[in-house]
Amino acid sequence: MEGQDTGNGSHWDTGGGEVLAQGAQSSCGCPWIPGSCSKPCPAWGGGRRPCPWNEMGFKANLSHPVILSYRKLALKYHPLKCKEPWGPKRFQQLAEAYDVLSDPMKKGIYDKFGEEGLKGGIPLEYAGDNPWSVGYVFHNNPEKVFREFFGGDNPFAEFFAEDGSEVLLPFGGPRGRGALRRDPPIVRDLFVSLEDLFHGCTKKIKISRRVMNEDGQTSTIRDKILTIDVQPGWQRGTRVTFEKEGDQGPNIIPADITFVVQEKLHPRFRRLENNLLYVASISLAKALTGCTVDVWTLDGRLLNIPINDIVHPKYFKMVPGEGMPLAQDPQRRGDLFIYFDILFPRRLSPQVKTLLRSILQP
């Protein structure tokens, strides 16, 4: 078995009379690199070595987790552990395969157009604004891929015990490109009526999220109902968190979903912490002579509040214990504060003005 230089790339006889060209695909289905099939090849010192893409499940239609495959084989064939002469070549092939198949854009081009489209460029009619239309070139630095995946300047050392045995790690390695990453929290407002914050209630919220399938690689959009038990006395800004209920994905810790309580506007009351504010409209005559103010409470009772004082613009009436429940002790309540909007007459006759002047003049 001898290499034949044709002037435009090396060709290798892989056995059985087959000639495998640089960058071509052999009959065993191994893409890209000569010597990556299971037949004898001088790139592997004449030995038989399994194709890294096949062993990793790296084919056009990917069916196995890329991250798990690379982690296992990169540790196995790293030059610090694998002392075979073909080890560095193997290690570089693994890095190139991972560099392509872990990137959705590169993998998509390879799936659709194969190695020719990936390395030679997408046909012009499909290129558009795609940055890979000029072709992909591997940077030939497998150690860079390894460090980005595992993290650290000496990543190899921390994955082996003193006796040289492999230390099993969490999915995707501890840090770096293959490390688990947590999605940022998702924060949404939860608008609740004042009545529901007074009595307490149960809110059911349907969310749609991406859930991983059993193969660990594909996912499905599924609905889920989240239940929030609103307690009496909760205030604006109360936060309810559902841990890890966000979208699932390979190498991702799902985001927490947090709902923040917001109060709906109420037609009669405004809330200030545990107190309720109410504005009563009364005539000038009632402001001066006294009256009774009727207030319907949040729990449906009618309060008759006598006003015997003269109501001036800064006057208010406090009714103890008629405010909102206290969240820490719902049996206790804040207070109700009644403010007044005094309605002045639009016009007065000269006779009435004279009469009022004589009555009100000090």
Side-chain angles (χ1 to χ4, degrees):
M1 176 177 62
E2 298 292 340
Q4 305 169 12
D5 188 356
T6 63
N8 58 357
S10 298
H11 291 63
W12 302 102
D13 185 350
T14 60
E18 179 188 7
V19 175
L20 179 64
Q22 179 88 14
Q25 187 173 32
S26 71
S27 59
C28 67
C30 305
W32 291 20
I33 303 170
S36 62
C37 65
S38 58
K39 299 180 181 180
C41 176
W44 296 105
R48 294 175 179 267
R49 293 294 172 223
C51 170
W53 287 51
N54 287 344
E55 186 172 342
M56 297 169 75
F58 285 172
K59 292 193 175 184
N61 294 319
L62 188 65
S63 60
H64 299 286
V66 177
I67 294 171
L68 286 178
S69 299
Y70 177 75
R71 189 191 76 82
K72 175 182 177 182
L73 293 177
L75 291 173
K76 179 179 179 181
Y77 291 109
H78 193 284
L80 291 179
K81 187 172 184 181
C82 179
K83 302 303 182 182
E84 299 291 342
W86 41 261
K89 183 71 173 181
R90 172 72 160 176
F91 184 64
Q92 179 169 326
Q93 288 182 327
L94 293 169
E96 185 173 5
Y98 179 77
D99 188 59
V100 171
L101 296 182
S102 64
D103 185 295
M105 180 182 295
K106 298 174 193 172
K107 180 183 180 298
I109 293 174
Y110 179 75
D111 287 346
K112 188 170 184 179
F113 300 102
E115 176 222 349
E116 181 179 357
L118 182 69
K119 289 193 169 184
I122 300 176
L124 292 179
E125 61 268 26
Y126 297 103
D129 296 329
N130 195 307
W132 286 103
S133 60
V134 296
Y136 162 77
V137 178
F138 183 53
H139 51 66
N140 288 323
N141 188 351
E143 286 290 351
K144 178 177 182 292
V145 175
F146 191 76
R147 283 196 303 269
E148 288 180 350
F149 184 93
F150 290 110
D153 292 331
N154 186 20
F156 184 77
E158 69 180 277
F159 301 114
F160 295 91
E162 293 182 357
D163 61 359
S165 60
E166 181 178 348
V167 178
L168 295 179
L169 298 172
F171 179 82
R175 329 182 274 283
R177 181 174 175 178
L180 289 174
R181 64 174 178 86
R182 178 183 291 274
D183 276 349
I186 300 170
V187 181
R188 296 288 183 268
D189 288 333
L190 177 67
F191 286 90
V192 185
S193 69
L194 210 51
E195 284 82 0
D196 286 340
L197 291 172
F198 183 92
H199 295 286
C201 67
T202 298
K203 295 287 187 180
K204 294 185 180 295
I205 303 168
K206 184 172 77 171
I207 63 171
S208 296
R209 61 175 188 155
R210 189 173 298 278
V211 177
M212 293 300 297
N213 297 325
E214 292 183 359
D215 60 12
Q217 191 67 25
T218 60
S219 59
T220 305
I221 299 296
R222 297 179 184 173
D223 293 337
K224 183 173 183 177
I225 302 297
L226 302 180
T227 301
I228 299 177
D229 292 322
V230 178
Q231 300 300 311
W234 274 10
Q235 298 189 27
R236 179 190 293 110
T238 301
R239 302 171 73 90
V240 181
T241 298
F242 295 87
E243 295 184 352
K244 300 179 182 179
E245 290 291 355
D247 287 339
Q248 299 176 4
N251 218 34
I252 291 176
I253 300 175
D256 294 343
I257 300 179
T258 298
F259 293 94
V260 181
V261 172
Q262 302 292 345
E263 296 172 2
K264 293 181 180 179
L265 292 177
H266 196 272
R268 299 194 307 278
F269 297 105
R270 186 168 67 86
R271 183 179 183 179
L272 182 62
E273 297 181 349
N274 295 317
N275 301 318
L276 291 176
L277 310 182
Y278 178 82
V279 177
S281 296
I282 60 174
S283 67
L284 178 59
K286 290 182 178 180
L288 296 174
T289 61
C291 62
T292 298
V293 175
D294 295 335
V295 181
W296 285 99
T297 64
L298 292 173
D299 55 356
R301 293 176 294 115
L302 178 62
L303 301 179
N304 303 116
I305 310 299
I307 307 298
N308 299 317
D309 302 319
I310 294 177
V311 178
H312 54 79
K314 295 183 179 181
Y315 178 86
F316 63 87
K317 179 73 173 181
M318 184 185 74
V319 184
E322 291 294 346
M324 293 293 292
L326 276 61
Q328 63 273 24
D329 184 5
Q331 299 303 317
R332 297 172 54 200
R333 294 184 183 178
D335 301 323
L336 170 65
F337 288 83
I338 302 176
Y339 290 84
F340 296 88
D341 178 23
I342 303 172
L343 304 178
F344 285 76
R346 292 187 176 183
R347 63 181 64 86
L348 293 173
S349 66
Q351 295 83 358
V352 172
K353 289 180 181 181
T354 301
L355 179 60
L356 287 175
R357 188 178 295 113
S358 62
I359 297 174
L360 299 176
Q361 194 170 25

